[in-house]
Coordinates of all heavy atoms in Angstrom, one line a residue:
R523 N 230.6 71.8 76.7 CA 231.2 70.5 76.9 C 232.5 70.3 76.1 O 233.2 69.5 76.5 CB 230.0 69.4 76.5 CG 230.3 68.7 75.2 CD 229.3 67.7 74.9 NE 229.6 67.2 73.6 CZ 228.9 66.3 73.0 NH1 227.9 65.5 73.6 NH2 229.2 65.8 71.8
A524 N 232.8 71.1 75.1 CA 234.0 71.1 74.5 C 235.0 71.8 75.1 O 236.2 71.8 74.6 CB 233.8 71.5 73.0
G525 N 234.7 72.6 76.3 CA 235.7 73.2 77.1 C 236.0 74.7 76.9 O 236.6 75.3 77.7
R526 N 235.4 75.2 75.8 CA 235.5 76.6 75.4 C 236.9 77.2 75.5 O 237.2 78.3 76.2 CB 234.6 77.5 76.4 CG 233.1 77.2 76.2 CD 232.5 77.3 74.7 NE 232.7 78.7 74.2 CZ 231.8 79.6 74.2 NH1 230.7 79.4 74.7 NH2 232.1 80.7 73.6
A527 N 237.9 76.5 74.9 CA 239.3 77.1 74.8 C 239.2 78.4 74.2 O 240.1 79.3 74.5 CB 240.1 76.2 73.9
D528 N 238.2 78.8 73.4 CA 238.2 80.0 72.7 C 238.0 81.2 73.6 O 238.3 82.4 73.3 CB 237.0 80.0 71.7 CG 235.6 79.8 72.3 OD1 235.5 78.8 73.1 OD2 234.7 80.7 72.1
L529 N 237.5 80.9 74.9 CA 237.3 82.0 75.8 C 238.5 82.3 76.7 O 238.5 83.4 77.5 CB 236.1 81.7 76.8 CG 234.7 81.5 76.1 CD1 233.7 81.1 77.2 CD2 234.3 82.7 75.4
L530 N 239.5 81.4 76.6 CA 240.6 81.4 77.7 C 241.4 82.7 77.7 O 241.7 83.4 78.6 CB 241.5 80.3 77.5 CG 240.9 78.9 78.1 CD1 241.7 77.8 77.6 CD2 240.7 79.0 79.6
L531 N 241.9 83.1 76.5 CA 242.7 84.2 76.3 C 242.1 85.4 76.9 O 242.7 86.2 77.7 CB 243.1 84.5 74.8 CG 244.5 85.2 74.5 CD1 245.5 84.6 75.3 CD2 244.7 85.2 73.0
E532 N 240.9 85.8 76.3 CA 240.2 87.0 76.9 C 239.9 86.9 78.4 O 240.2 87.9 79.0 CB 238.8 87.0 76.1 CG 238.0 88.3 76.4 CD 238.8 89.5 76.2 OE1 239.6 89.6 75.3 OE2 238.6 90.5 76.9
R533 N 239.6 85.7 78.9 CA 239.4 85.6 80.3 C 240.7 85.9 81.1 O 240.7 86.5 82.1 CB 238.9 84.2 80.6 CG 237.5 83.8 80.3 CD 236.5 84.5 81.3 NE 236.6 84.1 82.6 CZ 236.1 84.7 83.7 NH1 235.6 85.9 83.5 NH2 236.3 84.2 84.9
A534 N 241.8 85.3 80.5 CA 243.1 85.5 81.2 C 243.4 87.0 81.3 O 244.0 87.5 82.2 CB 244.1 84.7 80.5
R535 N 243.2 87.6 80.2 CA 243.5 89.1 80.2 C 242.5 89.9 81.1 O 243.0 90.7 81.9 CB 243.3 89.6 78.7 CG 244.4 89.3 77.9 CD 244.3 90.0 76.5 NE 245.4 89.6 75.6 CZ 245.1 89.0 74.4 NH1 243.9 89.0 74.0 NH2 246.2 88.7 73.5
A536 N 241.2 89.6 80.9 CA 240.2 90.3 81.6 C 240.3 90.3 83.2 O 240.1 91.2 83.9 CB 238.8 89.9 81.3
T537 N 240.7 89.1 83.6 CA 240.8 88.8 85.1 C 242.2 89.2 85.6 O 242.4 89.2 86.9 CB 240.5 87.3 85.4 OG1 241.5 86.5 84.7 CG2 239.2 86.9 85.1
G538 N 243.1 89.3 84.8 CA 244.5 89.6 85.2 C 245.3 88.3 85.5 O 246.5 88.3 85.9
A539 N 244.6 87.1 85.4 CA 245.2 85.9 85.7 C 246.3 85.6 84.8 O 247.2 84.8 85.1 CB 244.2 84.8 85.6
G540 N 246.4 86.3 83.7 CA 247.5 86.0 82.7 C 248.8 86.4 83.3 O 249.9 86.1 82.7
A541 N 248.8 87.2 84.4 CA 250.1 87.7 84.9 C 250.8 86.5 85.6 O 252.1 86.6 85.8 CB 249.9 88.8 85.9
D542 N 250.1 85.5 86.0 CA 250.7 84.4 86.6 C 251.3 83.4 85.5 O 250.6 83.0 84.7 CB 249.6 83.6 87.4 CG 250.1 82.4 87.8 OD1 251.2 82.2 88.4 OD2 249.4 81.3 87.7
P543 N 252.6 83.2 85.7 CA 253.3 82.4 84.7 C 252.7 81.1 84.5 O 252.6 80.6 83.3 CB 254.8 82.3 85.2 CG 254.9 83.3 86.2 CD 253.6 83.6 86.9
A544 N 252.3 80.4 85.6 CA 251.7 79.0 85.5 C 250.5 79.0 84.6 O 250.3 78.2 83.7 CB 251.5 78.4 86.8
T545 N 249.7 80.0 84.9 CA 248.3 80.1 84.2 C 248.6 80.4 82.7 O 248.0 79.9 81.8 CB 247.5 81.3 84.9 OG1 247.4 81.0 86.2 CG2 246.1 81.3 84.2
R546 N 249.6 81.4 82.5 CA 249.9 81.7 81.1 C 250.4 80.5 80.4 O 250.0 80.2 79.2 CB 251.0 82.9 81.1 CG 250.7 83.9 80.1 CD 251.6 85.1 80.2 NE 253.0 84.9 80.6 CZ 253.6 85.4 81.5 NH1 252.9 86.3 82.3 NH2 254.9 85.3 81.8
D547 N 251.2 79.8 81.0 CA 251.7 78.6 80.4 C 250.6 77.6 80.1 O 250.5 77.1 78.8 CB 252.7 77.9 81.4 CG 253.7 77.1 80.8 OD1 254.2 77.5 79.7 OD2 254.2 76.1 81.4
E548 N 249.6 77.4 81.0 CA 248.6 76.4 80.7 C 247.7 76.9 79.6 O 247.3 76.2 78.8 CB 247.7 76.3 81.9 CG 246.8 75.2 81.9 CD 247.3 73.8 81.6 OE1 248.5 73.6 81.7 OE2 246.5 73.0 81.1

Side-chain angles (χ1 to χ4, degrees):
R523 98 177 178 178
R526 296 306 303 266
D528 59 310
L529 299 177
L530 284 171
L531 200 54
E532 184 50 37
R533 286 283 300 157
R535 285 192 183 122
T537 58
D542 168 45
T545 305
R546 219 168 41 232
D547 210 31
E548 189 58 19

